[in-house]
Amino acid sequence: MKKLTYLVASLLTTATVGMIFTGCIDNDEPYGIEQLRGAKAELLKSKKALIEADAQYKLALAEAEKVKAAAEAAKIDAERAKTEAEIAEIRQRMEAAALQAEQILARLQAEAELARLTYEQERLNLSTQQQTALDGFYRKYFTALDNYNEKYMEYVKAQKDLVANALDPNGTAYDAKKAVEDAVTTAQKNLDDAQANIEDYNEQLADAKTWKPSELGAKLTAYQDQVEENTEKMKLINLTIAENDNESEEGKALVAAKKALDALYNEEVEIPAYTFNADGTITIPGLTEPQEVIGEGWSYTWNTQYNYPGYNDALNALVNFKNGIRRYVLDDNDVEWTKAEINSLEAEKKEKAAEFDRLFAGWKMFADAYNVGAAPKYDAFMGYDELKKAVDAYNAQLPATQAAKDAYYAAQKAAQDAWNAYYDKNNLNDDAWNAYNDAVNAANEAYDKAVAAANKELDKTITDLNNAVVKAQQEKNAADSKYMTAQGLADKYTEDADLKKAAEAAKKVAEDAAKALETAEKAREEQAPKAQAKAEKANDLAAATLANAIADADKARELALNEAPQIAGPLLDAANAADNKVNEAREAYVKEWNELSGLVSSWDNETQSTVGVYGAIVNQVEEIDNEYQYEEEWYDGENTWKPYFSYSLFNQFWNEVNGSQWDEEVAIPECSVADVCAYPSSYMGYNIIALSNKIYGSYYCDKNDDDILGIPSAQLIPLTKEDIDKMLAKYGIDEMNYPGIYNSDFGLFGKTLYVDNRIEVANAYITNKPAIEAAFEDVQAQIDNLVASRDELYDKIDEAGKAVKAAEEAVDELNADSWTEYNELQRQNNVADAMITAISEAALATGVAETEQYTQETIDEAIKAIENKIEETENSIPGLEEALARAQYVLDQYEKQLVSDAEIAALAVEEAKLAMDAAKEELDAAKARLDAAIKSVEGAE
């Protein structure tokens, strides 16, 4: 089975080809494809943005709007340039992704073909029965693989068509009409094939019901032969089609037409260089210097028109420059209208200047107060004097209030000392008893220690004496035992002198032990009574000592109790007197405190307003708000901006004051304007920035290229026109664009400069109208010539495209009969493959590996498979009919111009994706059936 095992490995390689192939779509889809497939609406929106931007630009020219319209057009052009740059990037990514997909497909097709060749070689080593059993499964698998590869490329092509249509404003790259017509043709063919298949399947079913087991192998071979015969015919038809495509007159014409179209796509069109006012004859202020608009060497092809520097860049450069020139045209009407407009501009300037002066005063107030690098100068603020007076009044009251507080806490301390003295003596009775109890407890503790020590010594003596007696008894018992043993041996062996000597020695040891025991017992009898008498004597002494100590404590207690009443009485009187002084000091302190608190914040019934420090702060905030507020536009309407302020410093100060009222350790705080001002440094910074943005614009933030505490230093310095011009020059902005930037980016100051410029322009227009109109005509001529060159190229491409289409139709007509025959042979093969699969799977299901082993059960299983195939195909008819109706509906909608080319391209992507997914399912099923068949053949070995 070695060869078959190698064959299985070969199949796994082929299966890996399929998995790699599907991976490039499902798991690692090229970035451009993934983005564009999921973003059809965005692509369509990009095209719409191009059209809308172009329409607005043309509208601006047609209506000759004033400078505001020109500025809007410039903005649109900038956005359009960005969009086109993004489109160019997407196009490049899409082309790269499609090329990668085609390269991957070519490699996978080569690997699939190698797998086929490998199988053809390996099958020669199999038996005829094994070949018969496996051939159908292999053919089905390779057919499914080819189909999936084909559907994959159709999917990639559909996405390329979608991108080409969405990114091409002129729609030259996609034939939507042919796409919808082909969709109807394909849907009709799929339906016709299914209906024809049902008829053939029924004929085969009727035949199958007459099969005999002995005939089944021949039937299988006949179906396989039919497939091979049809396949050979299809190869010949492919050769005929290829010959028609390349060698026939029609095919040669198509090749030539495609070559001509490709040449036009890559035909290089030169863009003439253009420098405005190259001869210096135009003397309008701001337009006196020559300016290069398009440099030398610019060109484009149809395929690279979005690359730099190409058609798109040239058109944008000319249009933007022309819009810049429009700033020097106030109106295309007569001179009298322009004079009236000058009067209107003078009035507008007066209004803007007044608003600027008002808010400039607020900006300067905050800027002066900010005082970079030092303490803020609060006297720069409006309302400072009122706040300063309120703070001074508070500080003037503070010493008296602090003195009253100090006196109150001093009286409190004196009273506490008096009461402590009284309490110290008022507890003499308790002290006497406490001293008595302490003495008695100490005496008892001493007694207990003495008795415990005596008893401990007695216990030790008795224990030692007893241990000595026990030890002596144990030694005597051991000696007696040894003696008895030695004497017994000596008596038994009377003639042995050594035993006799040993017995005598043991006897001597036993006698000595008996004497030692007697000595220990005698010592215990003599010393134990003496130890007992000593302990009793010590206990008697301790008891006597305890009795004496208790008697002494009792005498001391009685003496103290007799003296206590004469000491405490006068001390109680002194403590009560001290309490009266505390109450008087508290009343004085509260009075002073209320006076001080009122100077921080209180309500004045007469004026119905808050007074004190807080009232002055509120008044200051209200005065500054009213003077320096302005209206600003928000995304949802207008909003009144007022200077930022905060009562946080005052609240903190007020909390400190209140916290000090009843805290002896904390002095009542002094006050300064800095402690309570509603405009701390950070809020000053906010207001400087906000007012600077209003009067000078947010653009103005880097005059000195450094920041101070987060506030650009430029925003602390008054701005001049020279400053703005230097800044714009620094960023490389053309002088002709200065006025529009004044108006859009430099606040009220810039708007006054803009109005000044418009007045100057109006006067220049009156004087130089012919020169300005000539400048317009000169730039417009460049634009017209550039657009005409692209239109001419488009017309050529359009005609060449029509020639390609006509040639394709001629070739298609030449190949029509061949394709009809080819498709019919393919359909017949599909039916034959279904029959091969039915028999092969029936053999697999009934455990039959050799054709001569087929049984009636195998035939029954094959009949079931055919019936299932008929049912499956019949069930597909409604879906195929629906697909045909949908394709016809789309064609109808397209012919009525109710569906756009882009929508057709998007629909084609979705249809191709569904077809690819279905092919993937079919491929997976074919692979599973093939694996099962290989295992069955191996098992039969």
Side-chain angles (χ1 to χ4, degrees):
M1 203 59 199
K2 179 179 179 182
K3 289 296 183 180
L4 186 57
T5 303
Y6 178 73
L7 179 60
V8 173
S10 174
L11 251 294
L12 291 178
T13 302
T14 308
T16 304
V17 171
M19 287 186 284
I20 294 174
F21 185 75
T22 58
C24 73
I25 287 292
D26 294 336
N27 300 325
D28 191 20
E29 190 173 59
Y31 175 73
I33 295 177
E34 178 183 3
Q35 180 189 47
L36 294 167
R37 177 168 61 81
K40 298 187 298 294
E42 285 73 8
L43 291 170
L44 299 178
K45 190 185 301 180
S46 298
K47 181 176 180 181
K48 182 180 178 183
L50 293 173
I51 297 172
E52 289 179 349
D54 187 65
Q56 293 184 39
Y57 155 66
K58 291 177 180 178
L59 180 62
L61 293 181
E63 297 181 354
E65 292 183 352
K66 290 174 275 188
V67 177
K68 179 179 179 181
E72 288 296 327
K75 180 179 179 182
I76 291 171
D77 286 332
E79 291 176 350
R80 180 175 68 176
K82 179 182 178 183
T83 302
E84 290 174 343
E86 292 173 346
I87 287 175
E89 181 185 356
I90 292 173
R91 183 192 298 277
Q92 184 177 6
R93 285 203 307 267
M94 184 62 227
E95 290 173 351
L99 178 61
Q100 179 188 11
E102 291 168 352
Q103 292 170 344
I104 291 173
L105 180 62
R107 176 173 59 81
L108 294 177
Q109 287 174 331
E111 292 176 359
E113 185 61 29
L114 179 61
R116 286 188 180 89
L117 294 175
T118 301
Y119 171 60
E120 291 298 330
Q121 294 173 356
E122 296 296 341
R123 75 186 294 273
L124 298 177
N125 297 298
L126 302 177
S127 68
T128 302
Q129 289 80 7
Q130 289 174 333
Q131 292 179 9
T132 302
L134 292 177
D135 280 351
F137 291 102
Y138 273 106
R139 184 181 299 104
K140 198 73 172 178
Y141 173 76
F142 286 126
T143 300
L145 181 60
D146 288 341
N147 182 55
Y148 179 67
N149 291 350
E150 178 183 345
K151 294 301 187 291
Y152 168 79
M153 279 313 300
E154 289 177 358
Y155 177 50
V156 174
K157 180 180 182 301
Q159 292 178 92
K160 290 175 64 177
D161 289 341
L162 171 63
V163 174
N165 179 75
L167 301 187
D168 185 356
N170 299 292
T172 61
Y174 182 60
D175 189 349
K177 186 174 187 301
K178 185 176 185 305
V180 293
E181 289 174 343
D182 288 348
V184 172
T185 301
T186 300
Q188 183 66 62
K189 179 182 180 302
N190 292 338
L191 177 60
D192 293 343
D193 285 351
Q195 292 170 337
N197 288 347
I198 292 173
E199 293 181 6
D200 287 354
Y201 289 145
N202 280 311
E203 290 179 5
Q204 298 301 324
L205 177 62
D207 185 46
K209 291 180 179 180
T210 67
W211 290 346
K212 296 178 181 179
S214 60
E215 302 173 344
L216 195 52
K219 290 288 184 181
L220 179 60
T221 302
Y223 286 127
Q224 292 172 339
D225 291 344
Q226 178 187 345
V227 171
E228 291 179 2
E229 181 182 349
N230 285 351
T231 301
E232 290 302 318
K233 291 179 181 179
M234 291 165 66
K235 290 180 180 178
L236 293 175
I237 293 172
N238 275 331
L239 292 176
T240 300
I241 292 173
E243 184 177 351
N244 290 339
D245 288 346
N246 298 289
E247 302 301 328
S248 68
E249 292 300 322
E250 293 86 345
K252 292 177 180 179
L254 176 58
V255 171
K258 288 182 176 180
K259 185 176 181 180
L261 177 60
D262 186 64
L264 286 172
Y265 276 131
N266 294 284
E267 179 180 315
E268 186 172 7
V269 180
E270 294 184 0
I271 302 174
Y274 175 65
T275 299
F276 178 78
N277 198 22
D279 56 5
T281 57
I282 299 177
T283 58
I284 302 172
L287 295 176
T288 56
E289 296 296 326
Q291 182 168 341
E292 182 182 273
V293 181
I294 297 177
E296 296 287 343
W298 287 32
S299 64
Y300 70 94
T301 68
W302 186 264
N303 288 333
T304 64
Q305 58 185 301
Y306 297 107
N307 295 352
Y308 179 84
Y311 172 84
N312 199 54
D313 298 297
L315 182 61
N316 284 336
L318 290 167
V319 169
N320 290 338
F321 187 78
K322 183 180 178 183
N323 289 336
I325 298 177
R326 290 198 59 78
R327 297 187 177 92
Y328 294 87
V329 180
L330 193 64
D331 191 76
D332 288 337
N333 296 306
D334 56 31
V335 172
E336 292 302 320
W337 183 95
T338 301
K339 291 180 178 179
E341 187 66 11
I342 291 174
N343 294 332
S344 176
L345 289 169
E346 293 285 2
E348 182 181 353
K349 178 184 177 181
K350 184 177 180 180
E351 178 184 345
K352 298 294 184 184
E355 178 73 356
F356 172 83
D357 290 343
R358 180 178 70 84
L359 296 180
F360 176 86
W363 168 82
K364 189 174 187 307
M365 176 187 72
F366 282 108
D368 290 345
Y370 192 74
N371 195 23
V372 175
K377 296 181 180 180
Y378 293 103
D379 57 353
F381 286 126
M382 298 171 60
Y384 169 80
D385 290 340
E386 179 185 355
L387 178 56
K388 182 66 168 59
K389 289 178 182 178
V391 170
D392 290 345
Y394 168 86
N395 289 332
Q397 172 62 30
L398 179 59
T401 305
Q402 184 63 53
K405 176 183 178 181
D406 294 342
Y408 164 67
Y409 280 106
Q412 257 195 354
K413 186 177 184 306
Q416 187 63 49
D417 291 343
W419 280 105
N420 289 341
Y422 165 70
Y423 291 133
D424 186 52
K425 300 302 180 182
N426 189 48
N427 294 326
L428 291 178
N429 287 349
D430 293 339
D431 293 344
W433 277 104
N434 290 337
Y436 170 76
N437 291 331
D438 292 342
V440 171
N441 290 336
N444 283 324
E445 184 177 353
Y447 170 77
D448 292 338
K449 290 181 179 179
V451 170
N455 292 338
K456 181 178 181 181
E457 183 179 357
L458 174 62
D459 291 342
K460 183 178 184 305
T461 300
I462 298 300
T463 299
D464 291 344
L465 292 172
N466 287 333
N467 290 340
V469 171
V470 170
K471 180 179 180 183
Q473 183 65 56
Q474 292 172 342
E475 291 175 351
K476 179 181 180 301
N477 293 341
D480 287 346
S481 176
K482 292 179 179 180
Y483 167 64
M484 291 175 67
T485 302
Q487 187 61 48
L489 293 172
D491 290 343
K492 184 174 181 180
Y493 302 101
T494 56
E495 295 180 358
D496 191 333
D498 291 337
L499 291 177
K500 184 177 180 181
K501 288 180 182 180
E504 290 175 352
K507 179 179 179 182
K508 179 67 170 62
V509 173
E511 289 173 349
D512 291 343
K515 290 179 182 179
L517 174 60
E518 183 181 354
T519 300
E521 289 176 341
K522 184 177 180 180
R524 182 175 63 181
E525 290 174 358
E526 293 175 354
Q527 295 178 23
K530 292 179 181 180
Q532 180 68 37
K534 183 181 178 181
E536 290 176 354
K537 184 178 179 180
N539 288 341
D540 292 342
L541 177 61
T545 301
L546 173 62
N548 292 335
I550 291 175
D552 290 342
D554 190 57
K555 290 178 183 179
R557 181 195 63 195
E558 292 300 326
L559 179 61
L561 290 175
N562 291 333
E563 293 177 348
Q566 289 78 19
I567 297 174
L571 294 176
L572 177 60
D573 294 339
N576 288 328
D579 275 350
N580 292 333
K581 291 182 179 179
V582 169
N583 292 334
E584 293 172 359
R586 180 183 177 86
E587 291 177 1
Y589 175 41
V590 168
K591 179 181 178 181
E592 295 295 337
W593 179 266
N594 290 338
E595 185 68 25
L596 183 71
S597 178
L599 292 173
V600 177
S601 178
S602 60
W603 181 257
D604 188 340
N605 288 324
E606 183 177 346
T607 62
Q608 290 294 295
S609 63
T610 302
V611 295
V613 174
Y614 180 69
I617 296 172
V618 171
N619 291 341
Q620 183 185 48
V621 169
E622 183 177 356
E623 186 176 359
I624 291 175
D625 277 355
N626 291 336
E627 186 64 26
Y628 301 122
Q629 63 180 269
Y630 62 81
E631 297 300 319
E632 57 181 348
E633 293 185 1
W634 279 18
Y635 68 94
D636 58 352
E638 291 188 346
N639 177 67
T640 299
W641 180 87
K642 295 180 180 180
Y644 293 98
F645 68 90
S646 172
Y647 293 126
S648 60
L649 290 180
F650 170 79
N651 291 333
Q652 180 180 342
F653 170 75
W654 188 219
N655 289 336
E656 291 175 0
V657 172
N658 288 331
S660 70
Q661 182 179 8
W662 302 112
D663 190 334
E664 181 181 4
E665 301 301 323
V666 178
I668 304 172
E670 293 185 356
C671 184
S672 70
V673 173
D675 295 330
V676 296
C677 182
Y679 303 99
S681 292
S682 60
Y683 281 61
M684 291 185 204
Y686 297 151
N687 294 330
I688 292 170
I689 293 173
L691 287 167
S692 176
N693 289 347
K694 182 65 176 177
I695 61 176
Y696 291 131
S698 59
Y699 191 95
Y700 182 44
C701 62
D702 67 346
K703 177 178 177 183
N704 296 324
D705 291 327
D706 63 346
D707 290 351
I708 299 175
L709 298 180
I711 299 177
S713 57
Q715 294 181 318
L716 295 171
I717 304 170
L719 186 62
T720 66
K721 181 178 182 301
E722 289 72 21
D723 294 330
I724 295 178
D725 291 348
K726 288 179 182 178
M727 189 184 309
L728 297 182
K730 171 183 174 182
Y731 290 121
I733 297 174
D734 295 333
E735 186 176 355
M736 64 182 296
N737 294 322
Y738 284 8
I741 298 177
Y742 293 159
N743 186 53
S744 61
D745 294 329
F746 285 92
L748 289 170
F749 182 65
K751 293 184 185 305
T752 61
L753 295 179
Y754 172 74
V755 174
D756 284 341
N757 174 264
R758 298 314 301 146
I759 294 173
E760 179 183 2
V761 166
N763 288 320
Y765 174 71
I766 293 173
T767 306
N768 299 284
K769 184 176 180 181
I772 294 174
E773 291 176 346
F776 267 122
E777 293 173 0
D778 185 27
V779 179
Q780 186 60 49
Q782 300 296 321
I783 295 174
D784 293 342
N785 292 338
L786 180 63
V787 172
S789 72
R790 185 178 182 278
D791 290 344
E792 180 181 355
L793 180 59
Y794 170 77
D795 291 339
K796 292 179 181 179
I797 290 175
D798 187 49
E799 288 300 320
K802 291 177 181 178
V804 170
K805 184 175 181 181
E808 287 176 338
E809 290 174 351
V811 172
D812 289 343
E813 183 177 355
L814 189 64
N815 289 328
D817 293 340
S818 295
W819 277 117
T820 299
E821 182 181 358
Y822 182 93
N823 291 332
E824 176 58 23
L825 290 172
Q826 181 62 64
R827 188 194 68 77
Q828 293 174 7
N829 272 3
N830 291 339
V831 173
D833 278 335
M835 301 307 297
I836 294 171
T837 300
I839 297 173
S840 300
E841 290 187 347
L844 188 65
T846 55
V848 177
E850 303 292 340
T851 55
E852 63 268 17
Q853 296 175 346
Y854 289 158
T855 64
Q856 184 60 43
E857 184 182 3
T858 306
I859 295 175
D860 294 339
E861 287 294 327
I863 290 173
K864 289 180 182 178
I866 298 171
E867 290 173 340
N868 291 337
K869 191 65 177 179
I870 293 172
E871 181 180 4
E872 175 188 331
T873 309
E874 288 176 340
N875 291 337
S876 71
I877 295 298
L880 295 172
E881 290 174 338
E882 180 183 349
L884 175 60
R886 183 168 62 250
Q888 291 171 334
Y889 173 78
V890 171
L891 175 59
D892 178 67
Q893 295 293 296
Y894 181 79
E895 290 175 343
K896 294 178 179 178
Q897 297 184 349
L898 298 176
V899 179
S900 68
D901 287 8
E903 290 170 318
I904 295 299
L907 180 61
V909 171
E910 297 303 322
E911 295 287 350
K913 179 66 167 59
L914 292 174
M916 184 183 69
D917 292 341
K920 176 63 167 58
E921 292 180 4
E922 186 177 322
L923 176 62
D924 292 341
K927 177 63 172 59
R929 289 193 295 267
L930 177 58
D931 289 342
I934 291 174
K935 290 181 180 178
S936 176
V937 171
E938 284 181 324
E941 292 287 310

